[in-house]
């Protein structure tokens, strides 16, 4: 297991088309997780049933990179208001967010929607002014718009003190300076700002296990896959657990397989601790909002809001 202080859990939020996908791809690529052509293959594999059955492709929502000796878990978020519950749940799973804003377009309706969710969870966003390469980019004005939005949404003093990184996800460049000619030809300004400004998990590994099922994935081979954050304690392969549903009823089950994230892949691991984001298979009928707990301490985590259509999945 990683030492807790070397873990960073972030979500990435943005208005559609402001460059979230391009940014995550570049962050993964430059961290040496894979080369560009492999990334394309990985994405293409999503439609490949065989790979799905083997259980190695993941929900594109969860990715992770190793940067220096840090593990940075990145959770993608839906920008649409129909998925408000999902955005809220993801905000509870992470310790910080990257708010991506187009350097020309500035703040848009979904920027406000997702930022509100992050501020409500007391997260301090890092603002990434993206597309700094655009000839008509107006980074200084866009930062002012972002600041206005923070104020309008009632951000606290810490949140108002947000760091700003200027980037071109497309070109793979970033900088703490708004001058396009001062861009560094790598994403280091973003990695370093994440490590410096996003807090490491603080939960204890020495308490009884609690894990909140926050997202669901499914594949033919593994069945239902519960994704979430270990809220306290340690989770291990083969371990018996109590599953507490949203009504408070408890049943006994067992962790069959446990996965961490590496690049775009899910990798099998033996154990994970408080603060880790992991995927778990082997629990029949598991659902979003349920708590997995130490059978000797079957304590549920607070009930989550669920409102998106994906829950119809069986
Ligand atoms: P998402 O909807 O937020 O995931 O946005 P995408 O990553 O799919 O990007 C939307 C469009 O913006 C695509 O055509 C990208 O190529 C383009 N784009 C993303 N980042 C940049 C950038 O830094 N500069 C420029 N000029 N275009 C970008």
């Amino acid at each position: 297991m990683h030492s807790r202080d070397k873990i960073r859990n972030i979500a990435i939020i943005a208005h559609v088309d402001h460059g979230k996908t391009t940014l995550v791809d570049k962050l993964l690529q430059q961290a040496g997780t894979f080369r560009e052509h492999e990334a394309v293959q990985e994405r293409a594999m999503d439609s490949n049933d065989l790979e799905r059955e083997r259980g190695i492709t993941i929900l594109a929502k969860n990715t992770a990179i190793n940067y220096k000796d840090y593990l940075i878990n990145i959770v993608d978020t839906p920008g649409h208001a129909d998925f408000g519950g999902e955005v809220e749940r993801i905000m509870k799973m992470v310790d910080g967010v990257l708010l991506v804003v187009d350097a020309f377009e500035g703040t848009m309706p979904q920027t406000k929607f997702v930022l509100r969710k992050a501020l409500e969870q007391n997260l301090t966003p890092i603002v990434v002014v993206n597309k700094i390469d655009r000839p008509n980019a107006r980074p200084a004005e866009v930062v002012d718009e972002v600041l206005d939005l923070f104020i309008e949404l009632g951000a606290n003093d810490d949140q108002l003190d947000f760091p700003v990184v200027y980037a071109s996800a497309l070109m793979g460049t970033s900088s703490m300076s708004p001058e396009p000619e001062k861009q560094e030809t790598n994403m280091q300004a973003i990695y370093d700002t994440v490590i410096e400004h996003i807090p490491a998990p603080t939960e204890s590994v020495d308490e009884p296990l609690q894990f909140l099922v926050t997202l669901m994935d499914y594949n033919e081979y593994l069945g239902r896959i519960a994704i979430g954050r270990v809220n306290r304690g340690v989770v291990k392969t083969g371990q018996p657990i109590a599953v507490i549903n949203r009504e408070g009823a408890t049943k006994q089950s067992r962790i069959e397989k446990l996965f961490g994230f590496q690049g775009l892949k899910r990798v099998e691991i033996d154990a994970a601790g408080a603060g880790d984001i992991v995927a778990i298979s082997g629990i029949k009928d598991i659902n979003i909002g349920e708590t997995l707990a130490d059978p000797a301490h079957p304590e549920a985590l607070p009930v989550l809001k669920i409102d998106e259509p994906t829950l119809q999945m069986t």
Side-chain angles (χ1 to χ4, degrees), residues 9-312:
N9 294 321
I10 62 171
I12 180 153
I13 61 179
H15 185 84
V16 66
D17 275 350
H18 282 196
K20 234 165 21 132
T21 312
T22 311
L23 184 69
V24 172
D25 280 356
K26 234 16 148 266
L27 289 171
L28 286 162
Q29 185 191 322
Q30 287 193 13
T33 315
F34 51 72
R35 292 184 298 277
E36 192 154 25
H37 69 279
E38 287 172 332
V40 173
Q41 280 177 7
E42 296 272 356
R43 292 257 152 132
M45 256 186 229
D46 277 351
S47 56
N48 182 324
D49 287 343
L50 196 70
E51 292 301 336
R52 271 197 184 284
E53 277 175 21
R54 284 202 220 133
I56 63 169
T57 53
I58 65 162
L59 208 63
K61 275 184 182 124
N62 287 82
T63 50
I65 57 175
N66 286 102
Y67 174 73
K68 296 181 177 163
D69 50 350
Y70 290 85
L71 172 71
I72 306 175
N73 283 304
I74 304 171
V75 190
D76 196 4
T77 55
H80 200 276
D82 285 355
F83 294 85
E86 181 172 335
V87 176
E88 238 175 86
R89 296 200 310 274
I90 292 171
M91 295 298 116
K92 291 192 165 112
M93 184 163 70
V94 297
D95 302 301
V97 296
L98 291 185
L99 173 67
V100 181
V101 186
D102 184 315
F104 168 69
E105 272 200 19
T107 58
M108 297 294 279
Q110 285 166 48
T111 312
K112 182 172 174 178
F113 168 74
V114 289
L115 177 60
R116 172 181 282 129
K117 300 281 182 195
L119 296 176
E120 279 171 1
Q121 293 306 318
N122 235 350
L123 299 170
T124 297
I126 293 170
V127 174
V128 178
V129 176
N130 188 36
K131 308 200 189 185
I132 194 81
D133 62 287
R134 287 181 71 165
N136 44 10
R138 42 183 196 92
E141 278 168 51
V142 167
V143 171
D144 283 345
E145 284 177 23
V146 172
L147 180 60
D148 287 344
L149 194 57
F150 271 68
I151 293 167
E152 182 190 332
L153 292 171
N156 64 34
D157 286 351
D158 283 346
Q159 291 169 329
L160 285 174
D161 205 18
F162 56 85
V164 183
V165 188
Y166 301 85
S168 166
L170 192 64
M171 315 297 282
T173 67
S174 67
S175 167
M176 303 308 285
S177 156
E179 307 293 334
E181 52 281 4
K182 289 194 183 153
Q183 286 280 299
E184 304 278 343
T185 54
N186 57 54
M187 289 301 195
Q188 204 168 332
I190 297 184
Y191 301 127
D192 288 342
T193 307
V194 166
I195 286 164
E196 192 186 331
H197 288 270
I198 310 288
T202 54
E203 304 99 316
S204 166
V205 293
D206 298 321
E207 288 176 47
L209 170 69
Q210 256 186 336
F211 171 96
L212 188 60
V213 181
T214 305
L215 297 168
M216 290 293 301
D217 193 7
Y218 177 85
N219 78 37
E220 300 281 314
Y221 178 70
L222 295 168
R224 294 174 82 90
I225 302 162
I227 297 166
R229 174 179 179 128
V230 182
N231 284 68
R232 64 177 202 203
V234 171
V235 58
K236 292 185 179 135
T237 308
Q239 167 183 356
I241 40 144
V243 182
I244 310 157
N245 74 13
R246 291 164 58 79
E247 281 72 49
T250 299
K251 65 177 185 192
Q252 303 305 314
S253 189
R254 198 172 100 19
I255 306 284
E256 197 169 275
K257 287 189 173 164
L258 189 61
F259 301 89
F261 298 98
Q262 204 172 79
L264 284 163
K265 282 189 183 141
R266 231 180 343 234
V267 285
E268 266 196 81
I269 52 175
D270 297 328
D276 278 320
I277 292 177
V278 292
I280 294 173
S281 71
I283 305 166
K284 214 169 154 277
D285 302 329
I286 188 76
N287 262 309
I288 289 174
E290 299 184 339
T291 300
L292 310 184
D294 179 342
H297 300 86
E299 297 149 18
L301 285 153
V303 172
L304 289 169
K305 182 163 141 199
I306 303 177
D307 57 9
E308 71 269 22
T310 47
L311 270 192
Q312 308 313 318

